[in-house]
Amino acid sequence: MSLIKLLNFQNLGDERGDLISLEQQKNIPFDVKRVYYLFNTGASVARGFHAHINLEQVAICVKGSCRFILDNGEYRESVILNSPDLGLYIGNHQWREMHDFSSDCVLLILASEYYCESDYIRNYQEFIALVNK
Ligand code: TYD
């Protein structure tokens, strides 16, 4: 079983250019409470390094590229996001890291919950303890 669950979004573009539409409970498999985006990330910067107790997310590189690592405590997998028609679904209890941001990368994240620091597990050993419970 792969940890990497990719969503392929239909491109509604035409000769004028591209267009992708995201709709909750349709091509996004949850209700969206929050949207945020990362941009101007330094070339040598890695981000993430946490899991969530109760949060679903879809990550889309709407411009440029970056590499995600997902880890469920048993397996660790890597995927490059480099297209606006590709979404990476990230469920509960998945350690995530983001690496190798291109200088033009704009990484859009749709999230099922409002920001809540107490939902974060930022310590890898705590994450391993949680998934082995
Ligand atoms: P952080 O969780 O460190 O980003 P990442 O894990 O993606 O590298 O977030 C950086 C700061 O922004 C931190 O102080 C928390 C804050 N933040 C919000 O206030 N709201 C949000 O939706 C997010 C994602 C972060």
Side-chain angles (χ1 to χ4, degrees), residues 34 36 38 46-50 57 98 115 117 120 122:
R34 176 165 55 108
Y36 62 96
L38 305 178
R47 302 196 59 142
F49 297 93
H50 65 259
Q57 294 181 306
M98 293 94 92
Y115 173 73
E117 184 57 38
Y120 280 69
R122 293 190 185 273

